[in-house]
Amino acid sequence: MSAPPEHSIKISVDRGGTFTDVHASWPKQGGKQGEEEEMVFKLLSSDPSHYPDAPREGVRRVLSHLLPGKPLSRDAPLPTEHLHSLRLSTTIATNALLERQGAPHVLLVTEGFRDLLHIGNQSRPKIFDLAIKRPESLYQFVVEVRERVTLVGYTSDPNKADRAVVFDDHGKVVRGYDGAQEREGDGEVVQGISGEAVRIIKPLDKVHLEGELRRLYSEGVRGLAVVLMHSFTYPQHEQQIATLAQEIGFTQISLSSSLSSMIRIVPRGLSTTADAYLTPVLRGYLDSFFSGFQDDLAETTSVEFMRSDGGLTDVNGFNGLKSILSGPAGGVVGYALTSWEGKGGRAVIGLDMGGTSTDVSRFDGDYETVFETTTAGISIQSPQLNIETVAAGGGSRLFWRNGLFVTGPESAGSDPGPSCYRKSGPPAITDANLVLGRLLPGHFPQIFGESEKEPLDTQASTDALEKLRAEIEKDTGKKMGLDEVAWGFVKVANETMCRPIRSLTEARGYDTSKHILSCFGGAGGQHACAIAGTLGIGTILIHRYSSVLSAYGMALAERVVERQEPCAETWGSEGTSSRLDKRLEELSEQVRTELTKQGFKEDRIEVRPFLNMRYNGTDSALMVRKPEEGEDFAKAFAKAYKSEFGFSMNVDVIIDDVRVRGIGKSFDSLGKTVFEEVKELDFKSTKGEPEEGGKCCEKASVFYEEGGRQEVPVFLLERLEAGDLVEGPAIIIDGTQTIVVDPNASAKITSKHCMIELGEKK
């Protein structure tokens, strides 16, 4: 095999908590224009005895496979001349936040508000907890900044239009508040970004500030989080602080006005401290990653990173705040683009079951985005995909506590990993599946042991589960078989994963059973049928690359540029519509210009305008996308509000923010959908396939809740063809995933999917 052309290899790497997934593609030799070959594999995210960094090791293995005459050492910098693009997602920032191992920094806040973020918003997520533990603050010290601005008037004033300060086209005051003349000494009044009048009560005291900053710098502080009152609409004081801090030499300066230009200082401030805490850790990792290549990787190769909102960005646009859900976001993009029926079809629930946790999301034509979440006790105000995470994965540890089967939240991780990983680890869900026959060591990646070539250790799993069985028998006096114990733990894990699905569907008024379940992640196929059966879902979709769908999703993802500004308009008031249209068009032009600079042609750019709207007197705002012709923003907001909360209100609608999302498209079409393919194919049963040389490679003893142990056929996915029908009970397997087909289910094979339908007995 000859090496691919220079700058032709595209690699996507998703670094998870247990496994790192790799997807690579390159032009097919002798193929048609645009025809590509692909390669997918998994490796342990942490294996310090063999390699220091999993994503770089993944790139090395791809290059070693495609450049056979060029031995690549694990210690030597990697060549870049054959790389076209490199896309990465990482859990580095997430782990640093969870483990509280971020960078030290100091909070700069308006004088008089030093304890604001410590006090927080007084929410009580566990109202009946008798021993509430307050999350630790991320910042080390607080420095109060001598400055103060305030807003003139208030948004909810019923006579706002008559009383508001009036400015001319140059931002000069024409009429004071409520018609009064501005008096000298009250403080200058200027127009904020939102259009509101801002009174500068106390200008920034630069002399005092410089003294404080130089003192901090001499004490070794290099990171600052700057959070000033009303900076969402008047950012000038924060910008002046940043200029001065840069001149002194601070290396990390996080401004709340730049990171989250939205009203509400507490979540805005907490988000800013999170960025100052996480970005240096993220940058340190990226610098180390880039140093593992021969040339300046960012100069010779297109390097992109997955953001928490499902879009790609370059290294300059990637920071700690936008990377918290970087890992799961790729999987959401992957199933959204490959598993949705289309407009008018069923919504899809994504179940990403990995080694450490399970991520659940929902897609019905648009990515469900939230703008305020809580992670590890810290409120984050930044666009993120609406993903719910539970501590249930292949590495979730198994316990017998207080007469109950318990799985997690502790995880065995990848080092030492479950008992079967040959590192003397504790029993985990992976061990239970191995004992039940739902994992076959001969087909699982053989990457264990000192040689990195040994299979899973079935005996170690059996021994670990036997100890738990003996403990249960001693505690209860009841004799249970090993299969019964293992299945008990699996059922508990399944129910744990069902809870967030119900939260995203039933709790919001959607019928769970009217969804499609898209299962992916390394362990998703082993639990798909059981979870769908519990939820009453009849159709399951499992992509051929489901075990590495987060990496595959990144390969399909689009470059995103966003612009957002605060607003203080009331829908329907005089001139509002034209002012909003003008602001949205200005922001749209900015994102078009930026995407054009990044190499996207006009016909590859899509612009999506949004308004952040709420009813007057409430604080529950919804980000509403510009509706299709024939419906305005207000009607779309009322419809979305009623769907979310069950009622609507007959009061004024306030616009808090204007936002534009620009998308640089990576592709035109992925071809026929799986549903179109299913309609066209004539499916034929694989029953009676010979075990030697046929699609069925062997028989395996597998435990099912209905029927217990059964000898079932094992099919290799690579041998199955579009149009094959695999009737349960059966196992479908390839090098990176195991799919368990229950006795009451059948699996239809298409070119890219395995569609499992429950309840049909053939």
Side-chain angles (χ1 to χ4, degrees), residues 659-679:
R659 171 178 174 244
V660 170
R661 182 178 176 91
I663 296 170
K665 294 186 177 180
S666 302
F667 57 89
D668 291 315
S669 170
L670 293 176
K672 292 180 182 177
T673 69
V674 59
F675 305 97
E676 292 170 337
E677 228 184 316
V678 166
K679 288 178 182 177

Side-chain angles (χ1 to χ4, degrees), residues 322-382:
K322 295 188 182 300
S323 69
I324 291 174
L325 288 182
S326 170
V332 176
V333 173
Y335 85 77
L337 293 176
T338 60
S339 302
W340 188 48
E341 280 187 288
K343 193 170 182 179
R346 288 171 290 178
V348 187
I349 294 168
L351 182 82
D352 179 2
M353 184 178 179
T356 305
S357 61
T358 294
D359 300 308
V360 175
S361 55
R362 182 178 180 273
F363 183 82
D364 192 15
D366 280 318
Y367 295 113
E368 295 189 353
T369 305
V370 292
F371 290 82
E372 187 174 334
T373 57
T374 300
T375 303
I378 303 298
S379 292
I380 303 295
Q381 193 178 60
S382 179

Side-chain angles (χ1 to χ4, degrees), residues 410-421:
E410 300 91 337
S411 173
S414 58
D415 189 15
S419 300
C420 56
Y421 278 22

Side-chain angles (χ1 to χ4, degrees), residues 388-452:
E388 295 211 11
T389 301
V390 290
S396 294
R397 293 179 59 182
L398 312 181
F399 304 95
W400 173 256
R401 289 177 179 161
N402 303 319
L404 298 172
F405 288 88
V406 178
T407 62
E410 300 91 337
S411 173
S414 58
D415 189 15
S419 300
C420 56
Y421 278 22
R422 299 182 181 273
K423 292 183 180 180
S424 302
I429 288 294
T430 298
D431 296 301
N433 277 318
L434 186 59
V435 167
L436 293 170
R438 291 167 169 252
L439 282 176
L440 305 181
H443 298 279
F444 199 87
Q446 300 191 9
I447 55 176
F448 306 101
E450 286 296 321
S451 65
E452 298 180 86

